[in-house]
Amino acid sequence: MKNAVIGNNKQKANLIVLGAVPRLLYLLQQETSSTELKTECAVVLGSLAMGTENNVKSLLDCHIIPALLQGLLSPDLKFIEACLRCLRTIFTSPVTPEELLYTGPDHQTILFNHGAVQNIAHLLTSVSYKVRMQALKCFSVLAFENPQVSMTLVNVLVDGELLPQIFVKMLQRDKPIEMQLTSAKCLTYMCRAGAIRTDDNCIVLKTLPCLVRMCSKERLLEERVEGAETLAYLIEPDVELQRIASITDHLIAMLADYFKYPSSVSAITDIKRLDHDLKHAHELRQAAFKLYASLGANDEDIRKKIIETENMMDRIVTGLSESSVKVRLAAVRCLHSLSRSVQQLRTSFQDHAVWKPLMKVLQNAPDEILVVASSMLCNLLLEFSPSKEPILESGAVELLCGLTQSENPALRVNGIWALMNMAFQAEQKIKADILRSLSTEQLFRLLSDSDLNVLMKTLGLLRNLLSTRPHIDKIMSTHGKQIMQAVTLILEGEHNIEVKEQTLCILANIADGTTAKELIMTNDDILQKIKYYMGHSHVKLQLAAMFCISNLIWNEEEGSQERQDKLRDMGIVDILHKLSQSPDSNLCDKAKMALQQYLA
């Protein structure tokens, strides 16, 4: 059987159809079978697993994995090796569900608790290159996003040398590329897990330059993809590393080359090569977008450099409509990173009408793309961004109101945040559109949202809607009752200082209206609440309550006398006198200013 199936997929399929697998597994597990027989069975099964994906499925259906794992308990090394080879073949097949073995942080911890670190560490000094490589790969997988493992690795000694020092030696230029890349990954993951500082020499002088080298034209496409993605992950949270990377080996220009695959077809005589280039072309673009996004995350000059790289904006815009979801996501992330720049929002984003493809991306994208794309829309809707007008005309209001109803809290936040930016210093028509599309029911649903960010942004939206007098009076004349109810509920609820401060600022805006004022003056419950917050222990809340009072008693306005009298009877003037003695200079000045209104 063994000789028949080696290298012959047709024979493998025949044997499987004939029912050889259950029989081989039976013999493998029989106590009476000799070790030689068990080993031969494992070898044949391993050969069957080397065939098509369907073969692997057939083996899995026969419960091969528990049988092979049981075999690892045998005292016989040859048998164990045959079982391990077969397991490896099965687990490297894409059809095998990974949860059958180890994935996820819990499993990293299980391996860690069973002494994986100590047992694998000494293999790094093995005479066999293959063994050293596999040990290195194990460490990279164990350390990924795992502080517990990473903190331990920093202090592990192998032959009197600390692990990070061994990793640094393994990423020197004279080592095989695969080894350099994997050691750089280990150090990157340990750094991101907080076990190595970002300003440590082994990161700045060794890991970062090694990863930049991996992005150069000399490297294979696969290596360039892995190098760029690992570098993007390393520098993502740290502005200093972003600056260093951006000036190492002309990295920003070097990445522009990632978009040139497959190279012009005429130059490729080799069909295999074309196939290979095509396969890696989208991975390369995805990796370049990811790295540009990390590079431009914080620094204005780096963003400018990226945008000025040949046809960069066109490339990103093209990336937004690619068929591959991964490339689309990376392109959106890259744009989002660049859209944090006020300068770029006003210039390149305008010249390239970025909002058009972005609105298209938002139509029917998976959640992970929606979150980043809607976040970017928030930036495009800032009041100084020239894209604001055309975005509004293209139906953004409905789209964003739709997002506020999402199950996903991140999408609700972005939807309401973008509406808040849209309403900032906007004309009455836009505000009316927002209120109409959102509906007051939805607005109040968002005000009782369990997610604090959603609540804060909804209050921000209300505050922006209720600004400039004619708008305040207009909105309060149609929605006044409900808005006052919502404000009351929030001031009575268990909310943090920031939420209450925002709510009092909304009241201060209402108090600034001409007719809207009356909604506060005729509501004793609200007046008592304002009075309560004037005497609160937190200065922010005292100041916000003071704004409400100042707007209600302002002299030049009609009816100010009656309002002043009513508030005096409530004891507000006494509180103002007390506050005018406050150690907080801001509070003290505002109280004195309010008292002047009474004297004038």
Side-chain angles (χ1 to χ4, degrees):
M1 278 170 89
K2 182 169 74 177
N3 293 341
V5 296
I6 284 177
N8 187 333
N9 274 351
K10 204 169 167 193
Q11 285 287 25
K12 289 179 190 181
N14 283 340
L15 274 181
I16 290 173
V17 172
L18 291 170
V21 178
R23 183 72 187 145
L24 287 166
L25 284 172
Y26 171 77
L27 293 170
L28 181 96
Q29 296 175 86
Q30 272 303 81
E31 301 216 338
T32 51
S33 301
S34 69
T35 312
E36 286 77 25
L37 177 58
K38 289 182 179 177
T39 308
E40 289 295 326
C41 289
V43 171
V44 177
L45 287 165
S47 184
L48 295 177
M50 293 288 244
T52 62
E53 290 182 359
N54 278 335
N55 292 8
V56 178
K57 280 186 185 147
S58 308
L59 293 171
L60 290 171
D61 293 342
C62 293
H63 305 294
I64 188 170
I65 288 179
L68 291 170
L69 289 173
Q70 198 56 40
L72 300 180
L73 299 174
S74 153
D76 188 272
L77 278 180
K78 272 216 161 67
F79 177 47
I80 291 177
E81 187 186 338
C83 290
L84 279 172
R85 278 182 190 281
C86 186
L87 279 166
R88 181 185 62 181
T89 306
I90 291 171
F91 275 109
T92 46
S93 162
V95 297
T96 310
E98 281 159 337
E99 54 275 10
L100 290 172
L101 206 56
Y102 288 114
T103 53
D106 317 349
H107 295 132
Q108 286 172 322
T109 308
I110 292 169
L111 287 168
F112 174 77
N113 292 340
H114 281 80
V117 172
Q118 288 67 28
N119 285 306
I120 297 170
H122 70 95
L123 299 176
L124 287 171
T125 56
S126 160
V127 288
S128 155
Y129 169 74
K130 276 184 170 175
V131 172
R132 292 202 300 278
M133 243 348 279
Q134 294 307 333
L136 202 52
K137 283 182 180 165
C138 273
F139 279 132
S140 76
V141 181
L142 278 169
F144 183 63
E145 296 195 340
N146 193 318
Q148 184 193 19
V149 174
S150 295
M151 294 291 188
T152 307
L153 291 181
V154 181
N155 300 313
V156 169
L157 280 169
V158 182
D159 290 352
E161 211 172 3
L162 285 169
L163 261 191
Q165 294 167 335
I166 294 178
F167 292 153
V168 166
K169 277 187 179 165
M170 288 177 147
L171 53 73
Q172 285 166 351
R173 287 167 189 260
D174 58 345
K175 296 287 184 287
I177 294 299
E178 178 190 30
M179 184 172 265
Q180 289 186 44
L181 243 177
T182 314
S183 321
K185 268 185 169 172
C186 290
L187 290 159
T188 293
Y189 296 162
M190 287 160 73
C191 176
R192 281 297 306 265
I196 300 177
R197 290 167 51 120
T198 51
D199 57 3
D200 190 300
N201 279 348
C202 76
I203 297 297
V204 179
L205 304 178
K206 302 287 183 191
T207 311
L208 187 145
C210 169
L211 289 169
V212 173
R213 283 203 304 277
M214 295 301 149
C215 298
S216 75
K217 259 186 172 157
E218 286 71 65
R219 301 272 54 87
L220 296 173
L221 300 187
E222 296 89 323
E223 293 160 359
R224 294 170 77 180
V225 168
E226 213 173 326
E229 294 207 332
T230 309
L231 184 55
Y233 183 66
L234 173 66
I235 66 177
E236 190 183 18
D238 189 273
V239 64
E240 215 24 65
L241 289 179
Q242 289 155 15
R243 289 187 183 129
I244 296 167
S246 73
I247 53 169
T248 305
D249 294 354
H250 307 291
L251 176 65
I252 290 176
M254 191 150 71
L255 285 177
D257 192 65
Y258 277 46
F259 294 92
K260 299 184 177 155
Y261 293 89
S263 29
S264 60
V265 179
S266 58
I268 297 187
T269 43
D270 177 1
I271 195 80
K272 261 192 171 158
R273 163 88 192 283
L274 175 66
D275 192 47
H276 174 264
D277 281 13
L278 275 169
K279 195 175 123 204
H280 287 93
H282 66 268
E283 290 178 4
L284 281 162
R285 289 197 292 277
Q286 177 190 342
F289 284 144
K290 276 186 184 169
L291 186 43
Y292 277 139
S294 278
L295 282 164
N298 299 291
D299 186 290
E300 198 60 34
D301 296 335
I302 299 178
R303 288 183 197 130
K304 194 163 174 289
K305 260 197 207 163
I306 293 172
I307 286 173
E308 286 166 0
T309 306
E310 45 177 330
N311 326 336
M312 202 46 184
M313 282 310 268
D314 295 332
R315 284 188 175 134
I316 303 176
V317 169
T318 312
L320 290 179
S321 51
E322 282 217 25
S323 57
S324 153
V325 174
K326 286 180 168 172
V327 178
R328 280 210 310 272
L329 179 60
V332 174
R333 283 209 172 120
C334 181
L335 258 185
H336 178 238
S337 184
L338 300 172
S339 76
R340 294 189 183 125
S341 152
V342 175
Q343 185 54 41
Q344 300 308 337
L345 283 176
R346 285 185 172 153
T347 52
S348 357
F349 276 64
Q350 205 40 35
D351 306 341
H352 291 267
V354 164
W355 63 270
K356 279 186 189 156
L358 184 71
M359 288 298 288
K360 227 165 107 187
V361 166
L362 282 161
Q363 298 309 331
N364 46 11
D367 270 13
E368 50 177 349
I369 288 185
L370 270 182
V371 171
V372 190
S374 55
S375 196
M376 187 181 145
L377 195 57
C378 292
N379 294 345
L380 287 182
L381 285 167
L382 290 168
E383 123 275 5
F384 48 72
S385 161
S387 314
K388 195 170 182 171
E389 285 310 307
I391 291 178
L392 288 175
E393 285 152 23
S394 70
V397 177
E398 288 75 22
L399 189 139
L400 294 168
C401 291
L403 287 183
T404 68
Q405 301 183 8
S406 164
E407 293 285 297
N408 182 335
L411 287 177
R412 293 203 300 278
V413 171
N414 287 350
I416 201 76
W417 190 345
L419 289 169
M420 174 183 108
N421 285 349
M422 196 186 275
F424 184 69
Q425 295 180 356
E427 58 229 47
Q428 175 62 40
K429 182 190 164 302
I430 292 175
K431 292 183 177 180
D433 274 356
I434 293 175
L435 263 174
R436 194 177 50 248
S437 282
L438 191 61
S439 84
T440 33
E441 295 80 50
Q442 178 60 4
L443 186 66
F444 297 122
R445 215 172 289 136
L446 293 165
L447 285 172
S448 53
D449 198 285
S450 56
D451 188 288
L452 176 66
N453 286 329
V454 174
L455 174 57
M456 281 300 283
K457 295 289 180 268
T458 310
L459 290 170
L461 169 64
L462 248 183
R463 191 173 169 181
N464 287 348
L465 290 172
L466 293 167
S467 62
T468 68
R469 268 192 197 154
H471 297 181
I472 296 170
D473 290 332
K474 178 99 180 54
I475 290 172
M476 291 308 286
S477 69
T478 50
H479 300 89
K481 196 173 157 222
Q482 292 138 302
I483 289 176
M484 294 304 282
Q485 256 177 324
V487 165
T488 311
L489 275 174
I490 290 174
L491 290 177
E492 282 173 357
E494 291 285 314
H495 292 291
N496 67 18
I497 302 289
E498 280 66 31
V499 168
K500 301 221 161 161
E501 182 191 17
Q502 273 286 2
T503 310
L504 286 166
C505 290
I506 290 172
L507 266 182
N509 283 11
I510 297 171
D512 194 34
T514 309
T515 52
K517 277 186 173 50
E518 285 315 303
L519 285 162
I520 296 179
M521 289 309 300
T522 54
N523 186 328
D524 287 342
D525 186 22
I526 283 282
L527 287 173
Q528 286 299 334
K529 287 190 167 53
I530 295 174
K531 178 181 171 182
Y532 164 78
Y533 283 108
M534 284 177 79
H536 197 274
S537 57
H538 210 288
V539 173
K540 274 184 175 176
L541 296 182
Q542 289 179 288
L543 275 170
M546 184 85 86
F547 277 122
C548 298
I549 295 296
S550 302
N551 283 344
L552 292 172
I553 61 178
W554 209 251
N555 259 326
E556 287 98 73
E557 289 161 18
E558 200 185 326
S560 61
Q561 196 52 57
E562 291 86 341
R563 289 194 293 274
Q564 286 188 4
D565 293 344
K566 178 165 183 181
L567 292 169
R568 176 186 276 122
D569 297 343
M570 275 180 60
I572 295 290
V573 175
D574 303 338
I575 299 177
L576 287 173
H577 277 297
K578 217 158 90 205
L579 292 177
S580 66
Q581 311 291 308
S582 164
D584 185 283
S585 59
N586 213 342
L587 203 51
C588 164
D589 295 347
K590 294 283 182 302
K592 285 177 179 162
M593 242 165 81
L595 285 168
Q596 304 255 262
Q597 297 302 311
Y598 272 97
L599 301 170

